[in-house]
Amino acid sequence: MQGMMTVFWKELADDFTSKRFVILFLVVLLAVGFAIFISVQAIDALKEAVTTGTHFVFLMLFVPPIDLPFFMRFIFFIAFLVPLIGIALGFDAINGEKSSGTLSRLLAQPIYRDSVINGKFLAGVVTIAIMLTSIVLLVSGIGLNIIGVAPTAEEVLRLMAFIAIGTVYGAFWLGLAMLFSIFFQRVATSALASIGVWIFFFFYVLMFAGIIASFVAPVGETQLSQLQNAEVQIMLMRLSPIQLFEESATFVLGPEAITKMQYLQLQAQAASKFFTPAPLSFGQSLMIVWPHLVSLVALTVICFAISYAKFMREEIRST
Amino acid sequence: MSKEPVIEAIELTKTYNGLKAVDKLNLRIEEGEIFGFLGPNGSGKTTSILMMLGLTEPTSGTARVCGYNSTREPLKVKNLAGYIPENVGFYDDLTTGYNLAYMARLSDIPEGVIKQRIEEVLDTVGLKGMAYRKVGEFSRGMRQRLAIADVLMRMPKVAFLDEPTAGIDPRGIRQTLDLIARIAKENKMTIIMSSHQLAQVQRICTHVGIMQKGKMVVQGLISQLGREFLGGGRFKIEVRLAGVAAAILEAIKQVKGVVKVDRPEENLLVISSRDDVRSQIAKVIVDNNGLLEQMNVVSYALEDIYMKYSVED
Ligand SMILES: Nc1ncnc2c1ncn2[C@@H]1O[C@H](COP(=O)(O)OP(=O)(O)OP(=O)(O)O)[C@@H](O)[C@H]1O
Ligand SMILES: [Mg+2]
């Protein structure tokens, strides 16, 4: 425990002062700034809605209730960039210390080997959490100034839930990057492997999901076939941590937002006249998000289990 | 067998894909010994050290440090042992002081004493006032000194030094090794040190072992090995005469202390003796009307022993 905390504090300092983190953080700020600019304009256009008070006005800063291409949305930027930060913080965690020759000395100290992995992981997770928190605070500050509406208690809760989900999401990528840093001896290889997985989930899963779904459940004339096709597609996409994050973040931040699948479900229900549109309560949102979160945690745990199995008994030779 | 050895290896074996890197190594190193671990490249020195430290698992056999099994109780072993790895590395963009403090914290040295210890050990290894310099700016030799400082922070009971003088200049090697020897003596520290610097090993080590293809081919007190090498005596005296008569040969053999007399050349005698008997021999030769051309004491060098045992195939 002592050992883990020592590693944690050192790594935390390293993470925050590392150039790669500073660079990525600036990139994130730029993207978020852009998203907020769009939101603020949208909210201006929706002034009456704002004043009627039936909406989560403050959350509109993050999830503007307008038709936007997906790549201009706040949640997309976070979904896109947080993996890069997780990877940047973890891709050389172990093999970097191997090639610099410090791992030998580190593991010759009277500490358990897992305290090295745990300490580094924890430091990365805390870094990601702090980063997300400061982004949310920054946006909130700007928002407060511009739209002049304070967040309600529920909105604060939802924002906190968003930070938690984002941190879990980042933790997965960090865990994955650290896993590669244990498996590959060369830093360049582990970095590429992590980026490869990121690209795979980001682009290929979407493509494959569409293709596979059109085979398994081809879209026909009926609404039911459309629904089934969408369901298959969504199921496949949920294999991707990116999809898990995007969906849960959307549910938590945008109680009124609906996913493609829900939209179709709602349409189907509307056809049978059971449809009553109402925003989801915080509890309901969490209920929907819960399995997603569990999946993300499970993926992270799998990365960790494999990392342990490999690292705990590995030979540490400084070459 | 009354005293428990500080380092003990029993039938220690490590196999890499069928290749025996270390083959049934047996070793006993007792308190206060400075053990020079010699052998050609790839003979298994580093592998043995890694197994003794619990940084790699033996294929079979056991290693113990102060009675603790290195595989099963690695933390206890690491609590007692200091280690300088073969290619020692530091966090280059952090300061010397931070590098030392980090490892010290990991080995539970109280925060209050760390700062003072850093000043002390840096002074000891000749890096005084460098606590705030980044290690990235250090030369190879300075890093090696820093590695020694790192070990000294904890003042362990046992130190495993894998080529601690690699990359240091000749004067630096002498200073460093003298330092190691002095510290070991003052603190009753036991040291196992792999090295290719035979002359230096001979100077500071009490014991040596020579590895050859994973096997320990010779091992023992350095003075003992030297004696064996010199043919049983402690001194080897070479005598060159104008002509050797049988009487002279016989007379020399009778001198008290002489163990053995060889005659590798017509006019050259090689005498192995327990004492320095040069004057007696000179007298015997003169008494027997021999003409003495040259006489000198040959001292053995560890290098000769090394060359004898680490034969190439
Ligand atoms: N990870 C490994 N996989 C396979 N073989 C290995 C591995 N590590 C070492 N070896 C082999 O084990 C043998 C012993 O290597 P070791 O590093 O112990 O030698 P050494 O005596 O320390 O040599 P040097 O003087 O060059 O440091 C060598 O033949 C080496 O090739
Ligand atoms: Mg070696």
Side-chain angles (χ1 to χ4, degrees), chain B residues 96 100 118-128 130-131 146:
Chain B
T96 310
L100 292 178
I118 290 175
E119 297 295 329
E120 279 170 23
V121 296
L122 285 180
D123 198 7
T124 314
V125 299
L127 293 174
K128 194 176 167 66
M130 302 270 194
L146 185 55

Side-chain angles (χ1 to χ4, degrees), chain A residues 315 317, chain B residues 16-17 19 21 39-47 86 163 196:
Chain A
E315 171 172 306
R317 190 183 279 269
Chain B
Y16 291 112
N17 323 316
L19 175 115
N41 294 132
S43 55
K45 303 180 295 293
T46 301
T47 312
E86 198 162 17
E163 298 188 31
H196 297 297

Side-chain angles (χ1 to χ4, degrees), chain A residues 252-319:
Chain A
V252 164
L253 283 188
E256 288 131 337
I258 40 176
T259 61
K260 188 175 173 191
M261 156 125 138
Q262 265 199 320
Y263 177 72
L264 286 164
Q265 270 174 339
L266 292 175
Q267 267 194 335
Q269 282 168 347
S272 55
K273 312 246 183 283
F274 286 128
F275 176 45
T276 43
L280 298 167
S281 75
F282 183 52
Q284 280 173 317
S285 291
L286 279 191
M287 290 282 276
I288 296 178
V289 165
W290 193 245
H292 291 52
L293 217 52
V294 171
S295 306
L296 275 176
V297 171
L299 286 172
T300 315
V301 169
I302 290 171
C303 287
F304 247 76
I306 303 173
S307 298
Y308 279 142
K310 175 87 165 82
F311 186 61
M312 292 310 273
R313 301 181 65 186
E314 196 183 33
E315 171 172 306
I316 307 300
R317 190 183 279 269
S318 58
T319 35

